[in-house]
Each structure stands twice: as structure tokens, then as C-alpha cells.
């Protein structure tokens, strides 16, 4: 059956019926198992030791070393079960294997050390549930890198020290003397490495403390070594063959979506429809399979690409999400998958034929452009193929240097490069000003600002990057956008996509007369968040050019996934970074790559210009 026939067939089946046919949500059992694993892990760590049970008499017959080893095993198993709980909720196969192996050990530790029949039974019951529903836990591993080994060492080391202090203090009646906090910390540190510390115990408690501290140290070393030496499962990357196929699709269908060219970011993965006529590009961030924009290619083949996307998400137990799709894209996504959609914001699109600097509405932009031109600035708008290699290299280095932050911004409307030979149809607008008499030009000559546009079909372009020299006059972005719109007819461009304005409708309606208290409160919250994120400033900046607004949507599985999707999107866009501090990174600083939106250091300028 072809992709178009699939679309027609699925379109006849209402969403609710398809949900019933699919049966109960597949994540119900793994979620319950993960929660139970968390509770049992906590029980292994903090459940009090019962001294007067039927098991106590049996435990007294065993050698003392066995009880000490059981105490250490209880702590280690508890920590590992807590670490595995999230993987079980995500149906990870390796987490299932590890949990099945650890639960019997935890049950034995509950009997021997804590003398708890109930705790042992609960551990064995959970193991039985895991064996009964073993087919539910088949998700493949996530993309990973060896940086997690260092993060694990730091986190597990801190946790081991904290638990070690609690273990040292858990036998106050058997401690000889009154050791200080420094002595206790020293005892923990020596114990993690398997040596005796300065504190002495009576009644054999030193064995229990020693085995427990040694087990914590061994756990830290073992998990770190495993993460450091396991085979690396790299994140998906766009191969040369995939890029060639995507460019062929864009050549035929690229005019439909202004975000289509951004699918060529080389840090994205891609899945194609069975017919090869459509594709969905994505990046995995914190367990979220994040697509951006609409699928690339023939609309009739979209269902096949979307089905492949959802299959990939299920195989790895990733949370599927789509950022910034159009209304048509949102309808297809929700119809084919049963996902939900929520309006995220609006894209500003200027029709070149309708753009003019005349009129009262454009007075501020007109005056700013005239003032900058009188200051001696001139503009040049050209295709990338029309630039000399030396000038193109200078523009690329200037854009990287003017970024103003170590973190790359942009994902859904960012290409991540400038001056690539494969992007020869891109449009580059530059502002120039010769140095005053007696002064020297800057490191990039008379270049003062850069705008980079990527193709939008054969008759459009999308703004990808805005950068300016900090010493240049304010208003460089307005100057170059106006120059680009005025030069568009000579370039064969009829429509220009500017920045994406999140929650634009809420900001616009909330400031109007008669807005209700809920809408005014929502707008006030957005204005408050604009201190850190470009929400209001980008909206006002785009509104100055009198664009038409095209709504964009976020597609998600259920409401409780929205916070996680929001965090993943902010990581992808560069607003939140979970990377290691710069001092802990190896090698040279990576070369910056361009982004879709102006960096955060330009917020004040945008607000003043608005």
C-alpha cells in the first residue's frame, strides 16, 4: 500500500477509535514497575533493621562477616535500584536485566541483615512481575558518550561520601571516644578505598561499617569504569547520503515550509518514508525525540515518514515531540499518531511585494534606517556563490566571533553553519562602514554586521542568523532586513521568513483594551520571563516590519510530557545547557556555529529598538 493510500485509510478512522484499537498505553506497566523499583531501593537503603523476628534467630547462626556483607549489599543494591528505576520506566532492556539480577540479592540482604520477610517478599514479587512482563522491556540504548563516566564519578562520589557519613554515625553506642567531624570524614574517605580509618568500634560494628564503605567505593569505581569503557553508541548524524536525498526532496517540495532547509543541520538524524518521498529529521535530547518543522517531501508521503519516526521513538522508548510545525503539519501529525497539538507561537513572514517604508506604521524603522545611512553605513545583499572565498571566510569568522556566548543558540530555525559550499543559494546581507580618518579598521575590515538567509523553495528565504559588531551603531539588524527586502526582487525572492515569536498571540491580545485577568496575567508572566528569554523583544522586533503571522505548533503525546519536552527544547535551542563546566572540558574550545536568533546579549538592543 502506498503512503497516500495509508493517509486516506488512516484519515477515515477517528482518533478515539484508533486509540481503543491500540489498547492500553504501553507505558503503564513499565511506569508502575519503575515506581515499585524506587520504593524497594529506598527500603534497601533506609528501612530499619528488625531485631526481634523469626529470621533473627537464623541470622544469629551465620558468621558475623555474612551479616556485614549483607549490610553492604543492601546499600549497594538500594542505590543501583534507584538508578535503574528511570530506565525501567522507559522500558530499557539493560535496566530490566540488571534489575532481575539485583532483586534476589536485595531479598537476601533483607533477610540476613534487616531480618525483614516483608522486604524480601516484595523484592521477589517485583522480580516475578519483571519476568512476567519481560516483553515490555525491549527499548534500545540511548545515544551516549563517555562524558557520563566523569559525571557519574562526581555524583556517585558525593553520594557515597554522604551515605558514608550516615553509616559511620549509625552505630553511636559502639564508637570508641567522641571523634570529630574531620575524623568521621577521614574515616569515610579511607573506607571508600578499602582501608581502616581513625575511628574504632566495639562489638564487631567495625566490620559492618568497613564492608559498607568498601562496597560504596567499589560501586563508584565499577559504575564509572563501565560507563568509561562500554562501547560508545553515538548520537544520530546526518550522513552525506541522507543530505543528498534531503536536498533532492527540498528541490521539489522545499517551497511548502519555510523551515525545510533547516532539516539539513548535520547534528540531526533522519528517517525516510518507505517510498523515500518524505522524511522527518530529529535530534534526541534528554530522552526526547525532537523533530522541528513539518516533514520534508511530498505531503501524501508524510504518513509513512511519521510512522517510521514513531517506530524509532518506541524502539528506544523516547518521548516523541514536534516543535514548530505548521497547521497542516500539526493536523497530519495528530491524525496519524493520536498525539495532541498546542499553539506555540507565530512565524513572521513578509511578502516582498507588499513591503514599503512609507506610512505611519513604518515611521520608526524608516527613521532608524535613514539615520544609520547618514552615519556612513552601506549594505550589500548577495548570494553566497557571488562572494569571493576570502570574503566569505572573513564573514564566517566575524559571525562566529560576534556571537557573544559560548553556547550555540537555535535549533528549529538554525542551520548551524555559514559559507558551506553546499549552501550556495543562501543570501548574505552585510553592513559596512569605513574607518574614520586616522583610525584603523577592525579585525574584519569595514564589516560591521551580517545577516544570513537560507533558501525557502525557489522564491523565498528564511532568516537564519543575525550578528553585529558590538562597536557598531544600534539598528544594524533593521538596516540589513530592510536592505534584504528591497534587494529581494533582484534575487527572485517573493517572501521572507523572519524570526519566530513565541506566544505572540498572548502578548498581542494581552495588551489590548478589554483583555481579561487571565490573559493579562499570562502576558505579565511572559514579560517577566523576557528578562532571560527573547519572548517580548523578538515579537516587538518582528512586528515593526508589518509581517503576516503564521501559527506554529508543538505536538506532544500527553500533558505530563510537556515539562520534559520544554526542557529538551530549551536545551536544543541553547537556552539551557547541561554540559560540563568549561574547566572540565578537554581540548580546545569548539568553534562557534551560527544560530537562528540574536544572542541573549542583544536583548537590550532589541527592546530599545522596539
Amino acid at each position: 500500500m502506498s503512503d497516500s493510500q495509508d493517509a486516506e485509510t488512516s484519515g477515515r478512522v477517528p482518533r478515539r477509535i484508533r486509540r481503543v484499537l491500540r489498547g492500553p498505553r504501553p507505558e503503564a506497566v513499565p511506569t508502575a514497575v519503575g515506581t515499585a523499583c524506587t520504593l524497594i531501593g529506598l527500603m534497601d537503603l533506609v528501612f530499619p533493621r528488625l531485631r526481634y523476628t523469626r529470621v533473627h534467630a537464623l541470622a544469629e547462626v551465620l558468621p558475623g562477616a555474612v551479616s556485614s556483607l549483607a549490610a553492604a549489599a543492601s546499600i549497594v543494591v538500594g542505590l543501583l535500584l534507584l538508578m535503574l528505576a528511570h530506565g525501567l520506566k522507559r522500558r530499557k532492556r539493560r535496566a530490566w536485566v540488571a534489575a532481575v539480577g539485583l532483586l534476589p540479592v536485595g531479598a537476601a540482604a533483607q533477610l540476613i541483615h534487616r531480618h525483614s520477610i516483608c522486604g524480601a517478599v516484595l523484592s521477589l514479587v517485583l522480580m516475578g512481575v519483571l519476568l512476567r512482563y519481560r516483553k515490555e522491556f525491549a527499548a534500545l540504548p540511548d545515544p551516549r558518550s563517555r562524558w557520563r563516566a566523569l559525571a557519574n564519578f562526581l555524583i556517585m562520589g558525593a553520594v557515597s561520601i554522604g551515605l558514608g557519613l550516615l553509616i559511620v554515625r549509625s552505630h553511636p553506642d559502639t564508637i570508641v571516644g567522641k571523634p570529630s567531624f574531620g575524623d568521621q570524614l577521614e574515616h569515610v574517605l579511607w573506607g571508600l578505598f578499602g582501608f581502616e580509618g581513625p575511628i574504632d568500634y566495639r562489638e564487631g560494628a567495625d566490620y559492618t561499617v568497613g564492608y559498607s564503605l568498601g562496597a560504596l567505593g567499589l560501586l563508584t569505581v565499577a559504575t564509572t569504569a563501565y560507563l568509561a569503557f562500554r562501547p560508545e553508541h553515538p548520537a544520530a548524524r546526518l550522513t552525506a547520503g541522507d543530505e543528498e536525498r534531503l536536498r533532492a526532496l527540498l528541490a521539489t517540495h522545499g517551497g511548502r515550509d519555510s523551515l525545510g532547509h533547516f532539516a539539513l543541520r548535520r547534528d540531526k538524524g533522519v528517517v525516510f518514508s518507505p517510498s523515500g518521498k518524505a522524511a522527518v529529521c530529529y535530534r534526541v535530547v534528554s530522552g526526547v525525540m525532537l523533530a522541528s518543522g513539518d516533514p520534508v517531501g511530498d505531503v501524501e508521503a508524510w504518513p509513512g515518514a511519521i510512522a517510521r519516526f514513531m517506530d524509532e521513538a518506541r524502539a528506544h522508548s523516547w518521548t516523541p515531540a514536534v516543535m514548530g510545525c505548521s497547521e497542516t503539519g500539526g493536523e497530519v501529525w495528530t491524525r496519524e499518531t493520536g498525539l495532541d497539538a498546542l499553539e506555540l507561537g507565530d512565524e513572521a513572514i513578509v511578502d516582498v511585494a507588499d513591503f514599503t517604508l512609507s506610512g505611519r506604521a513604518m515611521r520608526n524603522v524608516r527613521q532608524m534606517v535613514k539615520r544609520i545611512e547618514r552615519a556612513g553605513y552601506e549594505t550589500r545583499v548577495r548570494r553566497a556563490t557571488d562572494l569571493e572565498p576570502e570574503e566569505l571566510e572573513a564573514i564566517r569568522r566575524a559571525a562566529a566571533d560576534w556571537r557573544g556566548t559560548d553556547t550555540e543558540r537555535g535549533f528549529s530555525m538554525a542551520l548551524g553553519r555559514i559559507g558551506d559550499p553546499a549552501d550556495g543559494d543562501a543570501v548574505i546581507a552585510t553592513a559596512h562602514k569605513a574607518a574614520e580618518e586616522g583610525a584603523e579598521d577592525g579585525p574584519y575590515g569595514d564589516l560591521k554586521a551580517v545577516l544570513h538567509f537560507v533558501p525557502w523553495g525557489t522564491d523565498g528565504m528564511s532568516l537564519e542568523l543575525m550578528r553585529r559588531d558590538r562597536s557598531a551603531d544600534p539598528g544594524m539588524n533593521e538596516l540589513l532586513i530592510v536592505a534584504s527586502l528591497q534587494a529581494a526582487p533582484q534575487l527572485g525572492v517573493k517572501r521572507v521568513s523572519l524570526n519566530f515569536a513565541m506566544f505572540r498571540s498572548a502578548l498581542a491580545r494581552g495588551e489590548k483594551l478589554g483583555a481579561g485577568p487571565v490573559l493579562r496575567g499570562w502576558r505579565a508572566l511572559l514579560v517577566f520571563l523576557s528578562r532571560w528569554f527573547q519572548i517580548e523583544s523578538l515579537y516587538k522586533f518582528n512586528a515593526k516590519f508589518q509581517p503576516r503571522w503564521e501559527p506554529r505548533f508543538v505536538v506532544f503525546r500527553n500533558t505530563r510530557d510537556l515539562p520534559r519536552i520544554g526542557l529538551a527544547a530549551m536545551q536544543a535551542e541553547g537556552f539551557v545547557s547541561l554540559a560540563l563546566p568549561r574547566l572540565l572540558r578537554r581540548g580546545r574550545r569548539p568553534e562557534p556555529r551560527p544560530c537562528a536568533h540574536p544572542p541573549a546579549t542583544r536583548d537590550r538592543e532589541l527592546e530599545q529598538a522596539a
Side-chain angles (χ1 to χ4, degrees):
M1 182 178 292
S2 66
D3 292 333
S4 60
Q5 290 174 329
D6 287 341
E8 293 175 0
T9 303
S10 60
R12 299 192 189 103
V13 183
R15 186 189 307 174
R16 291 184 178 179
I17 295 179
R18 294 203 310 274
R19 286 179 176 175
V20 172
L21 293 176
R22 279 195 293 266
R25 291 186 178 275
E27 67 269 17
V29 171
T31 299
V33 168
T35 302
C37 186
T38 301
L39 296 176
I40 291 177
L42 291 173
M43 182 183 299
D44 287 337
L45 282 175
V46 302
F47 193 77
R49 185 180 184 186
L50 304 178
R51 294 186 175 276
Y52 302 102
T53 65
R54 295 179 180 179
V55 185
H56 179 71
L58 175 62
E60 289 293 332
V61 179
L62 299 174
V66 174
S67 180
S68 299
L69 288 172
S74 180
I75 295 173
V76 171
V77 170
L79 280 175
L80 289 175
L81 290 178
L82 290 178
M83 296 169 64
L84 293 171
H86 181 64
L88 290 174
K89 289 182 180 180
R90 297 183 59 204
R91 304 186 296 110
K92 294 298 182 181
R93 183 67 179 180
R94 292 184 177 180
W96 178 89
V97 172
V100 169
L102 287 171
L103 285 170
V105 179
Q110 286 283 346
L111 283 174
I112 298 174
H113 174 63
R114 303 192 186 278
H115 309 155
S116 172
I117 298 177
C118 178
V121 170
L122 289 177
S123 297
L124 295 177
V125 168
L126 179 58
M127 185 183 70
V129 172
L130 286 172
L131 293 174
R132 168 64 177 81
Y133 292 98
R134 58 186 178 276
K135 293 182 179 180
E136 294 287 339
F137 301 89
L140 301 175
D142 286 346
R144 57 181 181 251
S145 69
R146 292 187 175 90
W147 282 114
R148 294 190 179 182
L150 178 58
N152 178 84
F153 178 77
L154 296 176
I155 295 173
M156 284 297 299
V159 171
S160 297
I161 291 174
L163 287 175
L165 290 173
L166 293 178
I167 293 171
V168 168
R169 299 173 182 176
S170 62
H171 303 80
D173 298 335
T174 62
I175 296 178
V176 177
K178 295 182 178 180
S180 63
F181 177 79
D183 292 333
Q184 296 176 24
L185 181 60
E186 182 181 354
H187 193 86
V188 170
L189 294 176
W190 281 111
L192 292 177
F193 287 97
F195 299 101
E196 294 185 2
I199 300 178
D200 294 324
Y201 293 88
R202 297 187 297 268
E203 302 176 5
D206 53 340
Y207 289 102
T208 301
V209 173
Y211 279 123
S212 300
L213 293 177
L216 286 176
L218 181 61
L219 175 63
T220 302
V221 173
T223 54
T224 302
Y226 168 74
L227 293 173
F229 296 107
R230 66 178 177 173
E232 190 169 2
H233 185 69
R237 289 290 184 269
L238 200 65
T239 65
D242 291 338
E243 183 174 341
E244 184 177 352
R245 295 176 66 184
L246 286 173
R247 289 186 183 275
L249 294 177
L250 289 172
T252 306
H253 305 281
R256 206 209 59 80
D257 185 16
S258 62
L259 305 187
H261 198 84
F262 299 117
L264 298 176
R265 282 184 66 107
R266 288 165 184 160
D267 59 355
K268 289 183 176 181
V270 60
V271 289
F272 289 90
S273 65
S275 65
K277 296 181 179 179
V280 176
C281 296
Y282 66 92
R283 184 198 293 177
V284 179
V285 182
S286 297
V288 177
M289 192 177 183
L290 199 63
S292 59
D294 293 342
V296 178
D298 189 353
V299 176
E300 293 186 355
W302 283 6
I306 291 173
R308 288 280 180 87
F309 177 90
M310 297 301 294
D311 290 342
E312 189 78 5
R314 280 190 290 270
H316 293 269
S317 192
W318 291 330
T319 300
V322 185
M323 298 295 297
C325 65
S326 67
E327 187 170 0
T328 301
E331 289 175 353
V332 177
W333 273 101
T334 55
R335 185 188 70 208
E336 296 298 325
T337 64
L339 301 178
D340 292 321
L342 180 68
E343 186 172 344
L344 184 62
D346 295 88
E347 179 187 7
I349 299 176
V350 179
D351 294 312
V352 174
D354 299 331
F355 177 77
T356 177
L357 285 177
S358 304
R360 183 178 179 83
M362 298 297 294
R363 182 180 60 180
N364 291 337
V365 176
R366 183 173 62 251
Q367 291 177 348
M368 178 174 290
V369 170
K370 294 298 183 184
R371 176 179 58 82
I372 297 173
E373 289 177 343
R374 287 194 298 269
Y377 288 89
E378 64 175 21
T379 59
R380 303 168 192 169
V381 182
R382 296 158 290 176
R383 295 281 185 185
T385 52
D386 297 332
L387 276 70
E388 295 295 332
E390 295 78 10
E391 184 179 4
L392 191 59
E393 176 63 19
I395 291 173
R396 189 190 65 81
R397 289 189 289 106
D401 187 47
W402 293 340
R403 187 170 65 182
T405 174
D406 287 340
T407 304
E408 179 190 353
R409 294 287 173 85
F411 167 69
S412 56
M413 293 187 70
L415 187 61
R417 60 183 182 268
I418 184 172
D420 192 292
D423 303 316
D425 290 339
V427 174
I428 298 178
T430 55
H432 304 263
K433 182 181 180 182
E436 298 180 0
E437 187 176 353
E440 296 182 358
D441 286 330
Y444 306 106
D446 61 353
L447 183 63
K448 298 300 179 184
V450 177
L451 259 62
H452 185 228
F453 297 86
V454 298
W456 174 11
T458 58
D459 61 352
M461 59 185 186
S462 297
L463 179 60
E464 193 267 339
L465 171 144
M466 294 193 295
R467 299 282 166 78
R468 50 153 274 182
D469 188 348
R470 295 184 182 183
S471 64
D473 295 335
M476 290 291 102
N477 294 329
E478 289 88 341
L479 173 68
L480 288 179
I481 288 178
V482 170
S484 301
L485 291 170
Q486 291 175 340
Q490 289 75 32
L491 298 171
V493 173
K494 298 179 180 179
R495 49 188 179 166
V496 178
S497 170
L498 301 179
N499 286 304
F500 173 75
M502 292 186 62
F503 309 114
R504 195 274 314 175
S505 58
L507 290 169
R509 293 198 302 265
E511 62 184 356
K512 290 183 177 180
L513 182 66
V518 175
L519 190 56
R520 289 200 303 269
W522 176 225
R523 181 183 182 278
L525 176 61
L526 293 176
V527 172
F528 173 75
L529 294 176
S530 295
R531 298 180 181 182
W532 298 276
F533 308 107
Q534 297 178 36
I535 300 176
E536 186 184 29
S537 59
L538 274 178
Y539 158 59
K540 290 185 175 181
F541 177 81
N542 293 329
K544 292 189 297 184
F545 301 97
Q546 301 299 306
R548 58 181 170 90
W549 299 100
E550 293 289 340
R552 292 280 175 172
F553 299 83
V554 55
V555 178
F556 56 96
R557 184 169 54 191
N558 49 57
T559 305
R560 65 174 178 270
D561 288 336
L562 283 176
R564 186 178 181 186
I565 293 172
L567 177 61
M570 292 176 70
Q571 288 179 251
E573 295 287 352
F575 292 109
V576 174
S577 177
L578 302 182
L580 294 172
R582 187 188 302 178
L583 294 176
L584 298 178
R585 300 177 191 170
R586 296 184 300 180
R588 297 169 54 187
R589 169 184 167 183
E591 185 174 336
R593 292 183 295 182
C595 63
H597 308 301
T601 54
R602 305 292 187 266
D603 281 349
R604 187 173 302 173
E605 176 192 338
L606 290 176
E607 292 172 358
Q608 292 174 351

